[in-house]
Amino acid sequence: MALEDYARELARAQGAEAIPAPDDPGRVAGVHLCAPAVRPGSAVVEDIEAFAREMAERTGGGLGWS
């Protein structure tokens, strides 16, 4: 949920949906943006990917970004 919210806000999209990896539904293969206000350039994509990596590396029971 946090990844979807982050991507949606960054691209000023109406919505976002995480796309599960076909070989591992617990992993994310990408994020679908619904009607983004800006075309996500490479800097936006890199920022979203960095956020996803950071979320995947976290351990513990904290709420993280939310």
Side-chain angles (χ1 to χ4, degrees), residues 14-46:
Q14 290 180 3
E17 181 179 352
I19 302 168
D23 57 338
D24 184 357
R27 297 183 57 116
V28 175
V31 177
H32 172 78
L33 297 171
C34 303
V38 295
R39 184 172 186 252
S42 61
V44 170
V45 171
E46 289 173 14

Side-chain angles (χ1 to χ4, degrees), residues 47-66:
D47 196 4
I48 294 169
E49 289 174 349
F51 182 82
R53 279 190 300 275
E54 181 182 312
M55 294 293 292
E57 292 171 358
R58 288 188 182 174
T59 58
L63 293 177
W65 182 73
S66 63

